[in-house]
């Protein structure tokens, strides 16, 4: 009316559930759902809630979860409690659960599973109904869960459930995974279809690093009559990769996949354990490079639906800073480097490396001991070539 036109931004929706954040995997387990509270507090302290639609989601129902998981497994998950552990101890193994393991049975586990999955399903639905161009669920991204068992801190595969939703309205979905671990559960679920292309960047060392899959030749069924042949792509990395190398590799490979596969929707798993200073990971990435991946996919996803989800990330203050920064990239805001003065849990953002009292220098950097960089130019070039080679079989 006043002649000033607002540039058309992106409609962003943010899906969360406060109760999901309050669960505990058990003492000293690396997966800490309270990192989600830290993330959300930071997002709110910067005022990003005014630039997006915020949805507190309902738990997923049994029927929703059964779209991917087996009923047997879901029944067991819904019934098992920590004190029954010994009684049904044998079934532990079948379903991938167990004390002292990666997937413990903790109080409220079923509730936690339904909440983070519900948020991913809601996010996908919001994209489907065109309520949002970009939907975010930092509590999801649990890419290791299999149809019939839990694996690597993941009980329900919310990503598979979300992609299944998207496939009801679009022909093709691209899944991109920057968690430091291989996205094996998602890859396996869509191994035999050409409607979902999976692309995972990860540390690969079958001898020592979980889950041990995701080599560069793991590209789909070897039977070339199977439509899934060439639709599972992997970028296996070593310790110590730096910002420039990762950004270059990511742009080349992800850009080529978007161009050749031409998906109508993209799901980006943003596991923050690929950051430097992670408790489990040994890459050297700063928040800047991690965020670059989100920004790159956003810029390439014009007229495509984009679902942005969490994943790993085991140094909570870095996870919160990265995901807050990435939320700002989604809405197109630029944040001050200075932390807001009145953020709750301010202490949690103090850097131990800087003597405990200092704030991090800025939002893009992580100050920490660097890991030795085990990549040379030849290796990185061979990874790009491998992706280009696979994409020759893909045309849309
Ligand atoms: O390396 C493994 C498997 C073992 C067997 C089980 N023990 C506990 C650990 C070694 C071979 N598992 C990995 C799983 C990583 C999952 C990553 C998940 C994601 O980021 O990709 C997505 C959310 C692993 N690495 C480190 C640990 N497990 C670990 C588990 C613990 C622990 C310390 C380290 C479990 C309990 C406790 N401490 C108390
Ligand atoms: Ca990955
Ligand atoms: Zn991970």
């Amino acid at each position: 009316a006043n002649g000033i036109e607002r540039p058309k931004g992106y409609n962003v929706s943010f899906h969360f559930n406060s109760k999901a954040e309050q669960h505990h995997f058990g003492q000293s387990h690396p997966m800490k759902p309270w990192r989600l509270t830290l993330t959300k507090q930071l997002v709110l302290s910067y005022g990003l809630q005014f630039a997006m639609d915020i949805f507190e989601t309902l738990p997923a129902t049994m029927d929703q979860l059964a779209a991917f998981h087996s009923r047997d497994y879901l029944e067991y998950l819904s019934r098992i409690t920590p004190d029954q552990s010994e009684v049904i101890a044998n079934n532990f193994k079948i379903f991938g659960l167990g004390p002292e393991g990666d997937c413990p049975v903790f109080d409220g586990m079923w509730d936690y599973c339904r909440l983070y999955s519900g948020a991913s399903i809601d996010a996908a639905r919001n994209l489907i109904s065109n309520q949002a161009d970009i939907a975010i669920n930092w509590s999801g991204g649990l890419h290791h869960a299999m149809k019939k068992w839990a694996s690597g801190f993941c009980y329900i595969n919310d990503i598979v459930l979300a992609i299944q939703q998207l496939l009801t309205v679009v022909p093709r979905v691209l899944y991109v995974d920057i968690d430091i671990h291989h996205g094996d559960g998602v890859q396996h679920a869509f191994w035999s279809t050409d409607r979902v292309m999976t692309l995972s960047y990860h540390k690969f060392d079958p001898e020592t690093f979980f889950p041990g899959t995701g080599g560069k030749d793991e590209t789909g069924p070897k039977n070339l009559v199977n439509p899934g042949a060439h639709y599972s792509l992997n970028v296996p990395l070593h310790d110590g990769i730096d910002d420039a190398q990762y950004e270059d590799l990511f742009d080349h490979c992800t850009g080529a996949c978007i161009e050749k596969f031409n998906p109508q929707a993209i799901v980006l798993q943003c596991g923050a354990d690929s950051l430097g200073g992670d408790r489990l990971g040994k890459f050297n990435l700063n928040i800047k490079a991690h965020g670059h991946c989100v920004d790159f996919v956003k810029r390439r996803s014009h007229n495509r639906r984009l679902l942005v989800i969490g994943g790993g990330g085991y140094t909570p203050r870095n996870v919160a800073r990265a995901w807050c920064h990435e939320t700002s990239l989604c809405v197109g805001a630029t944040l001050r480097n200075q932390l807001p003065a009145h953020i709750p849990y301010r202490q949690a953002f103090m850097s131990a490396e800087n003597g405990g009292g200092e704030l991090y220098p800025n939002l893009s950097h992580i100050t920490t001991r660097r890991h030795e960089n085990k990549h040379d130019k030849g290796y990185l070039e061979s990874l790009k070539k491998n992706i280009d080679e696979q994409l020759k079989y893909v045309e849309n």
Side-chain angles (χ1 to χ4, degrees):
N2 56 11
I4 298 168
E5 267 193 38
R6 262 181 54 188
K8 195 207 166 294
Y10 291 80
N11 277 324
V12 180
S13 66
F14 186 90
H15 302 261
F16 79 104
N17 191 297
S18 301
K19 286 200 218 89
E21 303 160 9
Q22 286 157 24
H23 288 101
H24 297 273
F25 278 58
Q27 225 196 349
S28 79
H29 193 289
M31 179 55 101
K32 310 216 175 284
W34 59 264
R35 70 206 171 116
L36 301 166
T37 311
L38 218 54
T39 304
K40 192 179 64 193
Q41 291 299 353
L42 201 50
V43 164
L44 297 177
S45 298
Y46 275 112
L48 290 172
Q49 68 275 28
F50 301 116
M52 350 178 248
D53 295 322
I54 311 283
F55 295 89
E56 178 136 21
T57 51
L58 294 172
T61 64
M62 190 63 110
D63 284 341
Q64 285 178 315
L65 301 178
F68 174 55
H69 293 281
S70 79
R71 295 262 176 194
D72 280 5
Y73 172 53
L74 294 174
E75 284 298 328
Y76 186 80
L77 264 194
S78 68
R79 283 214 297 265
I80 181 94
T81 61
D83 47 283
Q84 286 171 309
S85 324
E86 278 158 68
V87 190
I88 346 183
N90 274 338
N91 281 344
F92 267 4
K93 295 207 185 82
I94 310 175
F95 296 122
L97 309 173
E100 330 266 281
D102 284 342
C103 304
V105 176
F106 57 86
D107 255 324
M109 177 192 71
W110 177 241
D111 185 48
Y112 166 75
C113 290
R114 291 173 66 204
L115 291 169
Y116 76 73
S117 306
S120 286
I121 295 169
D122 264 13
R125 290 188 153 177
N126 219 35
L127 292 171
I128 289 170
S129 61
N130 289 315
Q131 303 276 96
D133 309 308
I134 305 176
I136 303 173
N137 171 25
W138 295 124
S139 69
L142 301 185
H143 58 180
H144 300 304
M146 298 290 174
K147 178 176 177 172
K148 299 178 184 186
W149 66 84
S151 169
F153 318 163
C154 308
Y155 304 81
I156 296 290
N157 201 315
D158 61 294
I159 307 169
V160 172
L161 294 166
I163 293 176
Q164 286 176 323
Q165 288 285 322
L166 293 168
L167 287 175
T168 63
V169 295
V170 304
R172 292 182 302 281
V173 177
L174 173 66
Y175 172 67
V176 183
D177 183 319
I178 61 170
D179 190 289
I180 199 168
H181 298 95
H182 178 225
D184 58 348
V186 184
Q187 173 179 291
H188 189 256
F190 299 111
W191 185 246
S192 293
T193 177
D194 55 4
R195 293 186 60 200
V196 178
M197 174 178 279
T198 60
L199 171 64
S200 176
Y201 299 81
H202 46 268
K203 172 175 169 152
F204 180 64
D205 181 355
E207 307 286 294
T208 64
F209 199 72
F210 185 87
T213 48
K216 75 173 196 355
D217 298 324
E218 211 176 283
T219 55
K222 291 300 164 202
N223 170 4
L224 299 183
V225 181
N226 189 307
H230 310 294
Y231 287 81
S232 293
L233 302 178
N234 287 296
V235 183
L237 302 166
H238 310 304
D239 287 340
I241 193 165
D242 66 29
D243 287 1
Q245 291 171 331
Y246 199 92
E247 289 185 15
D248 178 62
L249 194 60
F250 185 87
D251 292 4
H252 180 97
C253 300
T254 310
C257 289
I258 294 173
E259 195 156 301
K260 279 305 217 63
F261 183 57
N262 191 21
Q264 295 80 15
I266 303 178
V267 177
L268 179 59
Q269 196 268 20
C270 301
D273 46 7
S274 43
L275 292 171
D278 189 75
R279 179 176 157 191
L280 299 190
K282 289 187 179 155
F283 285 175
N284 286 327
L285 301 187
N286 285 298
I287 291 168
K288 174 189 160 289
H290 203 269
H292 166 90
C293 301
V294 177
D295 201 49
F296 180 88
V297 171
K298 176 189 166 180
R299 282 186 280 112
R300 293 291 170 97
S301 62
H302 290 296
N303 301 319
R304 298 179 164 105
R305 293 160 162 112
L306 176 58
L307 173 55
V308 173
I309 46 182
Y314 305 102
T315 301
R317 61 172 186 273
N318 292 344
V319 177
R321 296 179 66 114
W323 289 350
C324 176
H325 174 61
E326 289 162 14
T327 305
S328 80
L329 293 173
C330 289
V331 305
T334 307
L335 302 182
R336 284 166 279 125
N337 274 328
Q338 213 51 252
L339 281 175
H342 299 294
I343 171 181
Y345 310 105
R346 202 163 199 277
Q347 274 301 325
F349 291 101
M350 301 296 187
S351 154
E353 290 82 2
N354 291 348
E358 294 262 312
L359 288 174
Y360 271 77
N362 64 54
L363 250 186
S364 322
H365 267 80
I366 289 180
T367 36
T368 182
R369 188 171 58 84
R370 319 232 4 120
H371 303 284
E372 191 193 336
N373 192 337
K374 300 265 177 61
H375 302 78
D376 58 43
K377 202 162 165 36
Y379 181 68
L380 294 167
E381 288 303 316
S382 77
L383 291 174
K384 293 192 208 167
K385 249 176 116 178
N386 180 56
I387 297 293
D388 293 341
E389 207 56 45
Q390 292 307 315
L391 288 173
K392 286 184 182 157
Y393 300 93
V394 174
E395 202 70 67
N396 282 300

